[in-house]
Amino acid sequence: IGNERYYTGYIPSLYQQTVKEYNYTMRWLFRGGYTHAQTKICGEIYNNVTSWDLTSAYPAVMLQKSYPNTPFIMTETPLQDIENGKAVIFTAEFTNITAVTPHTVESKHKCIDYQNAIFENGRLYSADKLIVMLTEIDYKIYQQFYKWDSMKILYAKSAYKKPLPDYLTQAIAFFYRRKSELKKQLKTDKSEALQKEYLKIKGMLNSCYGMCVSRLNTTDIVYNDCGEWEEIEGKPYAEIIKKQFLSPYWGIYVTAYCRERILTAFKKLGNNALYGDTDSVKVLGDFSEIFDNINAEIMEMNRKICTRLKLDYDLYRDIGTFDNEGTYSKFKT
């Protein structure tokens, strides 16, 4: 069966096989946006801090990047699969892992197990042993921000990657264009009707990602005859996923790609990157040249996307780029 099968409504193949595996994967593999500050700056007041914000961060990577589009199957060569451009999810055991920059990126909440670990405000600084579940994108982030003596892969699966299906990317493109149009209109027309339409379209755009990671509920909460709330078994997992048209793996990868974009900027900014907040970077000083170079790469990516999706490049050239929101006279976190 060709890979196209998975883009004609056969989404159950892009779900975990059992509800137990689904719950485990979403618990340990799904990470949200990177929101953290250098520990040493907390409580201090800084001047000349510039804010750079990603334009529609999640919709952008949904248009720009490739995602798992075949079922994940067990692999004995995960690192080779990463080199070959596959999507790889794996559980790894690190020994003597330590942060190599002022930025600690792994959340304590996502550490399956650890020994003699040091955490900075909820983020891993070092550990004698660490067990975590990662995508290949997370692994690339680890390579930038940690060093370790050894890594043992305990479990690994891989899948082929491809851009998201047209029924999703075309919706994202439509909502983004309409949102941009309304945002421009709001500069001269502050009417309540226009503001409501803008918020509605913005919500629709954001939901393209949000629906990918909406929790599947296999239990129901009912009010029984005894006048008490009771949790009972709901529809079977296999039946629920038959009606899905978005894969949870897509949502997992959306946030991973966005963290990679933010943290790649952090790596280039070094100690000057003070704080990240999902889709923004607060940096000490003027580093316009670094962000301009990053934006040039993203805009070239957007040019290729517009050619593939037959979109007007002028309307989408800036999606996913860093926008200078200005400089704070005082900044504290």
Side-chain angles (χ1 to χ4, degrees):
I1 299 175
N3 290 349
E4 288 297 328
R5 165 99 183 250
Y6 304 102
Y7 277 20
T8 56
Y10 199 66
I11 296 300
S13 292
L14 301 183
Y15 266 80
Q16 295 81 1
Q17 292 183 350
T18 66
V19 68
K20 183 177 180 180
E21 184 183 0
Y22 168 80
N23 288 331
Y24 187 88
T25 303
M26 297 305 291
R27 168 66 181 90
W28 297 113
L29 190 63
F30 172 54
R31 293 163 171 81
Y34 181 77
T35 303
H36 196 63
Q38 289 189 48
T39 302
K40 69 178 182 180
I41 77 160
C42 292
E44 300 295 327
I45 295 177
Y46 286 82
N47 308 110
N48 193 31
V49 174
T50 305
S51 178
W52 291 82
D53 184 75
L54 286 172
T55 305
S56 294
Y58 285 177
V61 295
M62 293 181 81
L63 291 177
Q64 296 163 347
K65 301 291 187 176
S66 293
Y67 294 80
N69 84 306
T70 62
F72 278 91
I73 60 173
M74 298 295 292
T75 177
E76 295 182 357
T77 57
L79 298 184
Q80 183 178 329
D81 288 350
I82 292 174
E83 290 294 322
N84 292 335
K86 285 187 175 182
V88 180
I89 58 175
F90 62 98
T91 301
E93 180 180 311
F94 294 92
T95 57
N96 296 326
I97 184 170
T98 307
V100 294
T101 78
H103 311 293
T104 47
V105 299
E106 184 58 283
S107 172
K108 181 179 181 180
H109 181 62
K110 293 299 174 181
C111 298
I112 297 173
D113 192 20
Y114 49 83
Q115 291 180 0
N116 297 326
I118 297 174
F119 294 95
E120 289 187 352
N121 195 19
R123 300 280 172 161
L124 179 76
Y125 174 75
S126 67
D128 291 349
K129 183 184 84 170
L130 172 70
I131 297 178
V132 288
M133 194 174 188
L134 307 171
T135 66
E136 78 279 6
I137 310 301
D138 299 311
Y139 179 61
K140 291 173 183 176
I141 293 172
Y142 264 52
Q143 288 178 307
Q144 291 188 81
F145 289 91
Y146 290 106
K147 65 177 182 180
W148 52 84
D149 288 348
S150 65
M151 178 185 74
K152 180 167 68 174
I153 295 178
L154 308 177
Y155 163 98
K157 285 186 173 184
S158 66
Y160 287 96
K161 289 198 289 190
K162 186 179 179 181
L164 291 173
D166 286 349
Y167 65 77
L168 183 52
T169 54
Q170 291 294 345
I172 292 169
F174 170 78
F175 291 136
Y176 177 77
R177 186 185 76 241
R178 186 64 185 136
K179 176 194 168 188
S180 300
E181 292 169 349
L182 290 167
K183 192 173 184 178
K184 288 181 181 178
Q185 292 177 38
L186 282 168
K187 291 180 179 179
T188 55
D189 180 0
K190 302 288 186 180
S191 67
E192 184 179 347
L194 202 63
Q195 291 183 53
K196 283 184 176 180
E197 187 180 356
Y198 173 77
L199 291 174
K200 178 182 176 181
I201 290 295
K202 184 178 179 180
M204 296 290 280
L205 176 64
N206 292 340
S207 73
C208 293
Y209 151 73
M211 289 173 66
C212 290
V213 290
S214 296
R215 181 191 297 272
L216 296 185
N217 293 308
T218 56
T219 58
D220 294 331
I221 307 297
V222 300
Y223 195 64
N224 62 28
D225 294 338
C226 299
E228 298 174 341
W229 290 105
E230 180 183 5
E231 185 172 327
I232 64 172
E233 187 174 340
K235 291 182 180 179
Y237 176 74
E239 183 180 335
I240 293 173
I241 65 175
K242 281 182 181 179
K243 298 180 180 179
Q244 303 303 311
F245 59 94
L246 301 172
S247 169
Y249 288 117
W250 298 348
I252 288 169
Y253 272 75
V254 166
T255 57
Y257 281 131
C258 196
R259 288 194 305 276
E260 181 186 37
R261 182 160 289 174
I262 288 288
L263 289 168
T264 297
F266 264 60
K267 185 72 173 179
K268 293 178 179 180
L269 295 164
N271 291 353
N272 298 293
L274 302 184
Y275 173 63
D277 191 354
T278 305
D279 61 354
S280 68
V281 176
K282 316 302 181 189
V283 58
L284 183 62
D286 181 11
F287 289 87
S288 299
E289 186 176 350
I290 287 178
F291 287 102
D292 288 344
N293 290 335
I294 295 173
N295 285 345
E297 295 176 7
I298 295 171
M299 285 189 285
E300 182 57 33
M301 198 182 302
N302 291 341
R303 185 183 299 279
K304 295 176 181 177
I305 291 162
C306 289
T307 300
R308 176 170 58 83
L309 297 178
K310 297 180 174 59
L311 301 172
D312 184 344
Y313 174 66
D314 288 338
L315 297 176
Y316 297 91
R317 65 193 302 273
D318 294 331
I319 188 171
T321 58
F322 282 99
D323 177 43
N324 187 335
E325 290 197 311
T327 302
Y328 301 108
S329 57
K330 291 184 179 181
F331 176 87
K332 183 171 77 168
T333 183

